[in-house]
């Protein structure tokens, strides 16, 4: 069990920790207010400070990719992106080459 002196010191330490935390919050709020005032006075933005600028506008969808391969028997096509379609897998498993279907 801690002595009375140790308990008093721990209580003072807790009180000081709370005071330190409050002082740090006040100083931070003051600093933010000063920075905002300066930015407003000089017309500065985050981009001027080298921070993250406003997000760039979203790019338009590229649209559909033209097909690179065609099944001459059925007319089915594949762009060459993503998983191979079943018709192509079956043909390749049967001994065909990918170049056989190239457009």
């Amino acid at each position: 069990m801690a002595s009375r002196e140790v308990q008093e010191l721990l209580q003072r330490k807790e009180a000081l920790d709370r005071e330190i935390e409050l002082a740090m919050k006040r100083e931070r709020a003051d600093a933010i207010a000063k920075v905002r005032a300066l930015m407003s006075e000089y017309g500065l933005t985050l981009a001027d400070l080298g921070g993250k600028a406003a997000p760039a506008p979203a790019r338009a969808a590229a649209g559909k990719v033209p097909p690179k391969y065609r099944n001459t028997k059925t007319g089915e096509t594949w762009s060459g992106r993503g998983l191979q379609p079943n018709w192509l897998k079956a043909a390749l498993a049967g001994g065909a080459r990918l170049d056989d279907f190239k457009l």
Side-chain angles (χ1 to χ4, degrees):
M1 200 166 202
S3 69
R4 182 179 293 195
E5 182 181 0
V6 171
Q7 288 177 348
E8 287 176 20
L9 289 171
L10 287 172
Q11 287 174 351
R12 288 196 326 211
K13 179 185 179 289
E14 287 176 16
L16 283 172
D17 286 343
R18 284 192 299 271
E19 283 185 52
I20 290 169
E21 185 178 340
L22 288 174
M24 289 174 69
K25 284 182 180 180
R26 279 193 303 270
E27 286 181 9
R28 185 174 191 275
D30 289 345
I32 290 171
K34 287 177 187 176
V35 169
R36 284 187 176 151
L38 286 170
M39 288 177 71
S40 176
E41 181 179 341
Y42 292 97
L44 299 174
T45 65
L46 286 178
D48 294 326
L49 301 177
K52 289 188 176 181
R59 294 190 319 172
K64 199 169 186 177
V65 178
K68 292 183 181 178
Y69 305 95
R70 180 180 313 276
N71 183 344
T72 54
K73 294 177 185 173
T74 64
E76 294 173 292
T77 61
W78 180 50
S79 68
R81 293 187 180 181
L83 298 174
Q84 290 180 340
N86 290 334
W87 62 264
L88 184 58
K89 285 182 189 178
L92 294 174
R97 297 180 331 191
L98 190 59
D99 288 339
D100 297 340
F101 301 95
K102 197 163 188 114
L103 291 176

